[in-house]
Amino acid sequence: MRIPISTKLITVTILILVAATGTITWISSDFFEKKSSEQVDIANLESAAAKAKEVENIIGSLVEKTRVSASLLMKGTAAETATGDDFDFSFTKDKNFIALEVLKLDGSSVETVARKVKDEVLKPYGLSSTYIIHVRSWQKFPLRSVAQGSVELKNASYPKAPAMITIGIPLVRDAQGKITHIALADIALAPLEKPFTDPSERTQYLVDRYGELLAHKDEQKAMARLNLAKNPFVQKALAQKSPQYQTKFVDPDFDKNYFGASVKTSFGATLISQTSEETILEVSHEVKRRAIFVAGSAISMAIFFIFLFSMTLTSPIEKLADMINLVSKGNFDVKARAQVRSHDEVGDLAEAFDHMTEGLKERDKVKNLFSKFHGSSVAEDLISKDIGVGGQSKEVVVFFSDIRGFTAFSEKRSPEEVVEMLNEYFGVMVKIINAHGGVVDKFIGDAIMAVWGAPKGSERDAHNAVRACLEMRKALEGLNELRISRGQPAINIGMGLHAGAAISGTIGSDERMEYTVIGNTVNTASRIEASTKAFGADLLISDTVIEKIGGDFKTELAGAAEVKGRSEALKMFKVRGYRAADGTMVEVSTPYSDYEAEAADKVKVKAA
């Protein structure tokens, strides 16, 4: 019984309509989730603002203590007296201070006026007061920024050393208001870490102007001085001109969605607060899961039937797709109807598929046979358009070659030996012609006619043709060595090249056609090949070919000759080698490149 695909589709559509209840459930759940996201976004920014205020108070207190202590230290140093009780109270007894120094700025030079280091803090780590100098060398503290009036903070933590930050503040100004002294205080990280130790679903941390961590819930990360400048959200937060910024982003470290908020403090540090969407929206997700479960229970039976019907439809189509893949690889022996037994439009498609593969099989057979007679490029050109008698003028390079003394050779050999020799010879030469973009037009007895530039041409046709001739010269040497090793005589050949306009296309009648090139260029190429005998050379090219190849080949004038079909004497050139990629000339010569000149039909050599 034939079941139309339309019947199947109608049935499936009716079942899919049942799933509309799921759509309603999804929309309502999604609305709840969006509202939850908005509330979380607002709460995240409010939390970041509150935390930033707390951090700013802490930094402000540390800045003030630094200013007082640095002033006392500078005063005591200037008076060359002990720093006194006030300094001890503000610096020595403050457990958060580790080191303090006052720097004098004079143009581009920086001079340390005073430095105070708590050796007892550094001693447990096996460090001395010179460690602070080491910190300054790798810390690259922005002194110039402080000299311009900014308060700067930099993380100064180091493995196996105290966890601390450095605060830089302007200290003394001259009568013109120019800052002449600044103070740097190395302070324990603990006061800045304290606001971030509260348990919360949010991840909050503090970065400096350059994205380097100053404080974090995980103290180890702060001590590692992680630079988050390349974090997409941190990068945008630092670039904002407004003090507050919030957005939803994907954290590259965890590949999860986060709600992010940032608040800049007046001291250049930026507080970042980020909340995982997965954590915050867990409640809304749970609501959505329950709603989907209820809706899913109602439509589960419908999905079951859709699955059954889709299997009857998609299974044969998948088989057809697999078979199309096989056909595209050249396998035309597949039988679609034997594998697709559907009694519907898919079954009809399988029968049509089998008819198509039969046609493709015949077409491929014809194409392969045609390619063997005319070459693949000619076959493709003729197959791609309607075949008719006619042609078009093209710039081509025509090649002729002939075996010297072939007539005498064939008279002394059996037909089988002659054909075997020709097939072996043609097999070597035709392969070289094809490899260099040439098209073998025809075989005329022992002669080969080939063409470059038809049906498709390129600017390198003349170069490719000459290179092919040089390779045939070398290949003939190898072929003759093989023949001599078998006790067979060596053979000599003559090759001629000429470039010019010719008519390319199909000639003949509607009942019998042949693809070829005709014209005076073809005749001249044949005469040039015939002239090789008169000049004793295996390869001669015309001046038109010389014009196209320029100085890329080593050539020499062989002479001029009057040939049949031309009123003027024709200049011909020998080719001795080619120019390699490095610019050097490569000689291509064999024992069969030159031979004794003798008279040639239809050729009259002009005296030099």
Side-chain angles (χ1 to χ4, degrees), residues 100-136:
L100 179 66
E101 60 181 321
V102 177
L103 304 178
K104 181 180 179 181
L105 306 177
D106 185 8
S108 60
S109 64
V110 179
E111 177 186 353
T112 301
V113 175
R115 180 184 291 119
K116 197 71 173 180
V117 181
K118 291 182 180 179
D119 293 327
E120 65 274 14
V121 177
L122 300 177
K123 189 174 181 180
Y125 297 94
L127 303 172
S128 65
S129 59
T130 57
Y131 171 70
I132 300 302
I133 300 175
H134 173 69
V135 170
R136 297 290 177 265

mmCIF file of all heavy atoms in Angstrom, residues 100-136:
data_model
loop_
_atom_site.group_PDB
_atom_site.id
_atom_site.type_symbol
_atom_site.label_atom_id
_atom_site.label_comp_id
_atom_site.label_asym_id
_atom_site.label_seq_id
_atom_site.Cartn_x
_atom_site.Cartn_y
_atom_site.Cartn_z
ATOM 1 N N LEU A 100 58.764 51.888 54.907
ATOM 2 C CA LEU A 100 58.355 53.241 54.540
ATOM 3 C C LEU A 100 59.576 53.967 53.998
ATOM 4 O O LEU A 100 60.668 53.873 54.561
ATOM 5 C CB LEU A 100 57.804 53.989 55.767
ATOM 6 C CG LEU A 100 57.359 55.433 55.549
ATOM 7 C CD1 LEU A 100 56.150 55.501 54.620
ATOM 8 C CD2 LEU A 100 57.029 56.081 56.901
ATOM 9 N N GLU A 101 59.384 54.666 52.882
ATOM 10 C CA GLU A 101 60.501 55.441 52.365
ATOM 11 C C GLU A 101 59.991 56.732 51.738
ATOM 12 O O GLU A 101 58.860 56.805 51.246
ATOM 13 C CB GLU A 101 61.319 54.647 51.343
ATOM 14 C CG GLU A 101 60.573 54.193 50.127
ATOM 15 C CD GLU A 101 61.483 53.394 49.200
ATOM 16 O OE1 GLU A 101 62.660 53.771 49.062
ATOM 17 O OE2 GLU A 101 60.994 52.410 48.613
ATOM 18 N N VAL A 102 60.855 57.747 51.812
ATOM 19 C CA VAL A 102 60.545 59.059 51.244
ATOM 20 C C VAL A 102 61.513 59.300 50.094
ATOM 21 O O VAL A 102 62.733 59.133 50.244
ATOM 22 C CB VAL A 102 60.671 60.172 52.302
ATOM 23 C CG1 VAL A 102 60.409 61.541 51.655
ATOM 24 C CG2 VAL A 102 59.723 59.930 53.459
ATOM 25 N N LEU A 103 60.950 59.672 48.918
ATOM 26 C CA LEU A 103 61.756 59.882 47.725
ATOM 27 C C LEU A 103 61.681 61.355 47.320
ATOM 28 O O LEU A 103 60.616 61.985 47.369
ATOM 29 C CB LEU A 103 61.255 59.012 46.576
ATOM 30 C CG LEU A 103 61.166 57.511 46.830
ATOM 31 C CD1 LEU A 103 60.598 56.807 45.619
ATOM 32 C CD2 LEU A 103 62.539 56.946 47.184
ATOM 33 N N LYS A 104 62.820 61.886 46.905
ATOM 34 C CA LYS A 104 62.883 63.250 46.414
ATOM 35 C C LYS A 104 62.969 63.210 44.901
ATOM 36 O O LYS A 104 63.776 62.467 44.317
ATOM 37 C CB LYS A 104 64.116 63.964 46.995
ATOM 38 C CG LYS A 104 64.237 65.415 46.531
ATOM 39 C CD LYS A 104 65.479 66.065 47.130
ATOM 40 C CE LYS A 104 65.623 67.512 46.656
ATOM 41 N NZ LYS A 104 66.835 68.160 47.201
ATOM 42 N N LEU A 105 62.131 64.024 44.269
ATOM 43 C CA LEU A 105 62.081 64.067 42.811
ATOM 44 C C LEU A 105 62.744 65.342 42.338
ATOM 45 O O LEU A 105 62.385 66.442 42.761
ATOM 46 C CB LEU A 105 60.636 64.024 42.318
ATOM 47 C CG LEU A 105 59.778 62.853 42.821
ATOM 48 C CD1 LEU A 105 58.360 62.979 42.299
ATOM 49 C CD2 LEU A 105 60.385 61.525 42.399
ATOM 50 N N ASP A 106 63.700 65.202 41.460
ATOM 51 C CA ASP A 106 64.386 66.363 40.917
ATOM 52 C C ASP A 106 64.541 66.146 39.412
ATOM 53 O O ASP A 106 65.480 65.485 38.954
ATOM 54 C CB ASP A 106 65.756 66.530 41.586
ATOM 55 C CG ASP A 106 66.450 67.820 41.119
ATOM 56 O OD1 ASP A 106 65.802 68.623 40.415
ATOM 57 O OD2 ASP A 106 67.634 68.003 41.453
ATOM 58 N N GLY A 107 63.575 66.683 38.664
ATOM 59 C CA GLY A 107 63.593 66.441 37.229
ATOM 60 C C GLY A 107 63.358 64.966 36.951
ATOM 61 O O GLY A 107 62.371 64.371 37.386
ATOM 62 N N SER A 108 64.284 64.336 36.218
ATOM 63 C CA SER A 108 64.145 62.911 35.902
ATOM 64 C C SER A 108 64.828 62.015 36.926
ATOM 65 O O SER A 108 64.737 60.785 36.841
ATOM 66 C CB SER A 108 64.745 62.626 34.520
ATOM 67 O OG SER A 108 66.122 62.975 34.507
ATOM 68 N N SER A 109 65.494 62.594 37.910
ATOM 69 C CA SER A 109 66.203 61.799 38.910
ATOM 70 C C SER A 109 65.323 61.596 40.144
ATOM 71 O O SER A 109 64.486 62.432 40.491
ATOM 72 C CB SER A 109 67.507 62.485 39.312
ATOM 73 O OG SER A 109 67.233 63.712 39.948
ATOM 74 N N VAL A 110 65.534 60.430 40.783
ATOM 75 C CA VAL A 110 64.799 60.079 41.998
ATOM 76 C C VAL A 110 65.823 59.714 43.068
ATOM 77 O O VAL A 110 66.682 58.844 42.847
ATOM 78 C CB VAL A 110 63.842 58.893 41.755
ATOM 79 C CG1 VAL A 110 63.114 58.554 43.050
ATOM 80 C CG2 VAL A 110 62.846 59.227 40.655
ATOM 81 N N GLU A 111 65.725 60.367 44.234
ATOM 82 C CA GLU A 111 66.685 60.135 45.316
ATOM 83 C C GLU A 111 65.936 59.694 46.568
ATOM 84 O O GLU A 111 64.917 60.274 46.936
ATOM 85 C CB GLU A 111 67.462 61.428 45.615
ATOM 86 C CG GLU A 111 68.430 61.289 46.770
ATOM 87 C CD GLU A 111 69.072 62.623 47.135
ATOM 88 O OE1 GLU A 111 68.839 63.614 46.392
ATOM 89 O OE2 GLU A 111 69.778 62.682 48.163
ATOM 90 N N THR A 112 66.434 58.640 47.193
ATOM 91 C CA THR A 112 65.834 58.160 48.439
ATOM 92 C C THR A 112 66.324 59.031 49.589
ATOM 93 O O THR A 112 67.511 59.038 49.933
ATOM 94 C CB THR A 112 66.198 56.688 48.702
ATOM 95 O OG1 THR A 112 65.737 55.901 47.600
ATOM 96 C CG2 THR A 112 65.540 56.191 49.987
ATOM 97 N N VAL A 113 65.396 59.779 50.205
ATOM 98 C CA VAL A 113 65.745 60.665 51.315
ATOM 99 C C VAL A 113 65.792 59.894 52.620
ATOM 100 O O VAL A 113 66.686 60.096 53.452
ATOM 101 C CB VAL A 113 64.718 61.821 51.394
ATOM 102 C CG1 VAL A 113 65.000 62.691 52.621
ATOM 103 C CG2 VAL A 113 64.751 62.648 50.131
ATOM 104 N N ALA A 114 64.831 59.016 52.826
ATOM 105 C CA ALA A 114 64.778 58.253 54.077
ATOM 106 C C ALA A 114 64.079 56.934 53.818
ATOM 107 O O ALA A 114 63.203 56.823 52.958
ATOM 108 C CB ALA A 114 64.039 59.046 55.143
ATOM 109 N N ARG A 115 64.476 55.900 54.541
ATOM 110 C CA ARG A 115 63.844 54.588 54.415
ATOM 111 C C ARG A 115 63.816 53.927 55.789
ATOM 112 O O ARG A 115 64.803 53.964 56.534
ATOM 113 C CB ARG A 115 64.584 53.709 53.435
ATOM 114 C CG ARG A 115 63.956 52.326 53.286
ATOM 115 C CD ARG A 115 64.747 51.385 52.380
ATOM 116 N NE ARG A 115 64.690 51.814 50.993
ATOM 117 C CZ ARG A 115 65.723 52.160 50.261
ATOM 118 N NH1 ARG A 115 66.938 52.157 50.826
ATOM 119 N NH2 ARG A 115 65.599 52.525 49.014
ATOM 120 N N LYS A 116 62.711 53.341 56.129
ATOM 121 C CA LYS A 116 62.573 52.620 57.399
ATOM 122 C C LYS A 116 61.942 51.269 57.098
ATOM 123 O O LYS A 116 60.891 51.186 56.455
ATOM 124 C CB LYS A 116 61.668 53.410 58.357
ATOM 125 C CG LYS A 116 61.797 52.981 59.800
ATOM 126 C CD LYS A 116 63.137 53.410 60.404
ATOM 127 C CE LYS A 116 63.173 53.126 61.911
ATOM 128 N NZ LYS A 116 64.470 53.530 62.495
ATOM 129 N N VAL A 117 62.597 50.192 57.519
ATOM 130 C CA VAL A 117 62.126 48.836 57.247
ATOM 131 C C VAL A 117 62.050 48.060 58.555
ATOM 132 O O VAL A 117 62.973 48.134 59.382
ATOM 133 C CB VAL A 117 63.072 48.102 56.267
ATOM 134 C CG1 VAL A 117 62.546 46.697 55.981
ATOM 135 C CG2 VAL A 117 63.221 48.892 54.967
ATOM 136 N N LYS A 118 60.961 47.335 58.747
ATOM 137 C CA LYS A 118 60.826 46.478 59.935
ATOM 138 C C LYS A 118 61.498 45.146 59.646
ATOM 139 O O LYS A 118 60.921 44.250 59.012
ATOM 140 C CB LYS A 118 59.357 46.265 60.265
ATOM 141 C CG LYS A 118 58.645 47.514 60.779
ATOM 142 C CD LYS A 118 57.192 47.204 61.137
ATOM 143 C CE LYS A 118 56.466 48.432 61.663
ATOM 144 N NZ LYS A 118 55.044 48.129 61.994
ATOM 145 N N ASP A 119 62.745 45.024 60.112
ATOM 146 C CA ASP A 119 63.495 43.788 59.869
ATOM 147 C C ASP A 119 62.829 42.588 60.513
ATOM 148 O O ASP A 119 62.933 41.453 60.019
ATOM 149 C CB ASP A 119 64.930 43.939 60.396
ATOM 150 C CG ASP A 119 65.706 44.968 59.585
ATOM 151 O OD1 ASP A 119 65.441 45.073 58.368
ATOM 152 O OD2 ASP A 119 66.558 45.665 60.164
ATOM 153 N N GLU A 120 62.132 42.816 61.688
ATOM 154 C CA GLU A 120 61.521 41.690 62.388
ATOM 155 C C GLU A 120 60.384 41.049 61.583
ATOM 156 O O GLU A 120 60.051 39.881 61.794
ATOM 157 C CB GLU A 120 61.002 42.149 63.773
ATOM 158 C CG GLU A 120 59.862 43.163 63.725
ATOM 159 C CD GLU A 120 60.358 44.590 63.613
ATOM 160 O OE1 GLU A 120 61.568 44.772 63.305
ATOM 161 O OE2 GLU A 120 59.564 45.513 63.834
ATOM 162 N N VAL A 121 59.790 41.824 60.654
ATOM 163 C CA VAL A 121 58.737 41.260 59.808
ATOM 164 C C VAL A 121 59.340 40.422 58.687
ATOM 165 O O VAL A 121 58.794 39.390 58.302
ATOM 166 C CB VAL A 121 57.856 42.391 59.221
ATOM 167 C CG1 VAL A 121 56.796 41.821 58.285
ATOM 168 C CG2 VAL A 121 57.203 43.185 60.339
ATOM 169 N N LEU A 122 60.479 40.856 58.173
ATOM 170 C CA LEU A 122 61.107 40.170 57.052
ATOM 171 C C LEU A 122 61.951 38.978 57.494
ATOM 172 O O LEU A 122 62.155 38.034 56.717
ATOM 173 C CB LEU A 122 61.995 41.146 56.270
ATOM 174 C CG LEU A 122 61.283 42.366 55.659
ATOM 175 C CD1 LEU A 122 62.311 43.271 54.990
ATOM 176 C CD2 LEU A 122 60.234 41.912 54.646
ATOM 177 N N LYS A 123 62.449 39.023 58.747
ATOM 178 C CA LYS A 123 63.380 37.997 59.221
ATOM 179 C C LYS A 123 62.805 36.581 59.146
ATOM 180 O O LYS A 123 63.508 35.647 58.734
ATOM 181 C CB LYS A 123 63.828 38.331 60.644
ATOM 182 C CG LYS A 123 64.953 37.443 61.155
ATOM 183 C CD LYS A 123 65.442 37.929 62.512
ATOM 184 C CE LYS A 123 66.586 37.053 63.011
ATOM 185 N NZ LYS A 123 67.077 37.500 64.340
ATOM 186 N N PRO A 124 61.536 36.345 59.548
ATOM 187 C CA PRO A 124 61.001 34.968 59.471
ATOM 188 C C PRO A 124 61.025 34.385 58.057
ATOM 189 O O PRO A 124 60.990 33.166 57.880
ATOM 190 C CB PRO A 124 59.563 35.129 59.965
ATOM 191 C CG PRO A 124 59.594 36.347 60.825
ATOM 192 C CD PRO A 124 60.581 37.264 60.184
ATOM 193 N N TYR A 125 61.097 35.258 57.067
ATOM 194 C CA TYR A 125 61.138 34.783 55.676
ATOM 195 C C TYR A 125 62.574 34.684 55.160
ATOM 196 O O TYR A 125 62.791 34.396 53.981
ATOM 197 C CB TYR A 125 60.357 35.750 54.771
ATOM 198 C CG TYR A 125 58.897 35.842 55.112
ATOM 199 C CD1 TYR A 125 58.419 36.831 55.978
ATOM 200 C CD2 TYR A 125 57.975 34.940 54.573
ATOM 201 C CE1 TYR A 125 57.074 36.921 56.300
ATOM 202 C CE2 TYR A 125 56.627 35.040 54.883
ATOM 203 C CZ TYR A 125 56.182 36.022 55.744
ATOM 204 O OH TYR A 125 54.838 36.096 56.031
ATOM 205 N N GLY A 126 63.529 34.938 56.068
ATOM 206 C CA GLY A 126 64.922 34.876 55.655
ATOM 207 C C GLY A 126 65.325 36.060 54.803
ATOM 208 O O GLY A 126 66.226 35.947 53.967
ATOM 209 N N LEU A 127 64.648 37.217 55.001
ATOM 210 C CA LEU A 127 64.908 38.396 54.194
ATOM 211 C C LEU A 127 65.465 39.513 55.053
ATOM 212 O O LEU A 127 65.217 39.571 56.259
ATOM 213 C CB LEU A 127 63.607 38.875 53.513
ATOM 214 C CG LEU A 127 62.892 37.856 52.628
ATOM 215 C CD1 LEU A 127 61.537 38.392 52.187
ATOM 216 C CD2 LEU A 127 63.756 37.503 51.408
ATOM 217 N N SER A 128 66.207 40.408 54.418
ATOM 218 C CA SER A 128 66.740 41.580 55.108
ATOM 219 C C SER A 128 66.083 42.829 54.544
ATOM 220 O O SER A 128 65.235 42.769 53.659
ATOM 221 C CB SER A 128 68.259 41.656 54.915
ATOM 222 O OG SER A 128 68.565 41.864 53.545
ATOM 223 N N SER A 129 66.490 43.969 55.068
ATOM 224 C CA SER A 129 65.892 45.229 54.642
ATOM 225 C C SER A 129 66.152 45.521 53.167
ATOM 226 O O SER A 129 65.419 46.297 52.540
ATOM 227 C CB SER A 129 66.418 46.376 55.500
ATOM 228 O OG SER A 129 67.837 46.453 55.393
ATOM 229 N N THR A 130 67.174 44.906 52.606
ATOM 230 C CA THR A 130 67.452 45.144 51.173
ATOM 231 C C THR A 130 66.385 44.516 50.286
ATOM 232 O O THR A 130 66.337 44.800 49.083
ATOM 233 C CB THR A 130 68.822 44.547 50.800
ATOM 234 O OG1 THR A 130 68.838 43.142 51.120
ATOM 235 C CG2 THR A 130 69.939 45.258 51.554
ATOM 236 N N TYR A 131 65.537 43.694 50.854
ATOM 237 C CA TYR A 131 64.459 43.069 50.067
ATOM 238 C C TYR A 131 63.546 44.139 49.470
ATOM 239 O O TYR A 131 63.027 43.982 48.352
ATOM 240 C CB TYR A 131 63.646 42.118 50.952
ATOM 241 C CG TYR A 131 62.394 41.616 50.275
ATOM 242 C CD1 TYR A 131 62.453 40.724 49.209
ATOM 243 C CD2 TYR A 131 61.131 42.047 50.698
ATOM 244 C CE1 TYR A 131 61.301 40.278 48.592
ATOM 245 C CE2 TYR A 131 59.968 41.603 50.085
ATOM 246 C CZ TYR A 131 60.055 40.708 49.026
ATOM 247 O OH TYR A 131 58.916 40.261 48.409
ATOM 248 N N ILE A 132 63.348 45.231 50.204
ATOM 249 C CA ILE A 132 62.480 46.306 49.715
ATOM 250 C C ILE A 132 63.062 46.907 48.434
ATOM 251 O O ILE A 132 62.332 47.253 47.496
ATOM 252 C CB ILE A 132 62.296 47.389 50.790
ATOM 253 C CG1 ILE A 132 61.658 46.774 52.046
ATOM 254 C CG2 ILE A 132 61.442 48.536 50.265
ATOM 255 C CD1 ILE A 132 60.314 46.112 51.795
ATOM 256 N N ILE A 133 64.376 47.021 48.375
ATOM 257 C CA ILE A 133 65.027 47.524 47.151
ATOM 258 C C ILE A 133 64.764 46.561 45.995
ATOM 259 O O ILE A 133 64.497 46.968 44.859
ATOM 260 C CB ILE A 133 66.545 47.701 47.373
ATOM 261 C CG1 ILE A 133 66.784 48.710 48.509
ATOM 262 C CG2 ILE A 133 67.238 48.151 46.095
ATOM 263 C CD1 ILE A 133 68.243 48.858 48.883
ATOM 264 N N HIS A 134 64.808 45.248 46.306
ATOM 265 C CA HIS A 134 64.521 44.232 45.283
ATOM 266 C C HIS A 134 63.084 44.352 44.784
ATOM 267 O O HIS A 134 62.805 44.233 43.577
ATOM 268 C CB HIS A 134 64.769 42.834 45.877
ATOM 269 C CG HIS A 134 64.336 41.719 44.972
ATOM 270 N ND1 HIS A 134 64.983 41.426 43.798
ATOM 271 C CD2 HIS A 134 63.294 40.840 45.087
ATOM 272 C CE1 HIS A 134 64.367 40.414 43.216
ATOM 273 N NE2 HIS A 134 63.343 40.038 43.981
ATOM 274 N N VAL A 135 62.165 44.628 45.719
ATOM 275 C CA VAL A 135 60.759 44.787 45.335
ATOM 276 C C VAL A 135 60.608 45.928 44.342
ATOM 277 O O VAL A 135 59.908 45.822 43.334
ATOM 278 C CB VAL A 135 59.879 45.015 46.579
ATOM 279 C CG1 VAL A 135 58.466 45.427 46.165
ATOM 280 C CG2 VAL A 135 59.834 43.762 47.442
ATOM 281 N N ARG A 136 61.290 47.053 44.625
ATOM 282 C CA ARG A 136 61.163 48.207 43.743
ATOM 283 C C ARG A 136 61.684 47.910 42.328
ATOM 284 O O ARG A 136 61.191 48.441 41.347
ATOM 285 C CB ARG A 136 61.948 49.395 44.325
ATOM 286 C CG ARG A 136 61.432 49.880 45.657
ATOM 287 C CD ARG A 136 60.066 50.565 45.545
ATOM 288 N NE ARG A 136 59.594 50.936 46.885
ATOM 289 C CZ ARG A 136 58.786 50.186 47.609
ATOM 290 N NH1 ARG A 136 58.341 49.035 47.119
ATOM 291 N NH2 ARG A 136 58.424 50.559 48.816
#
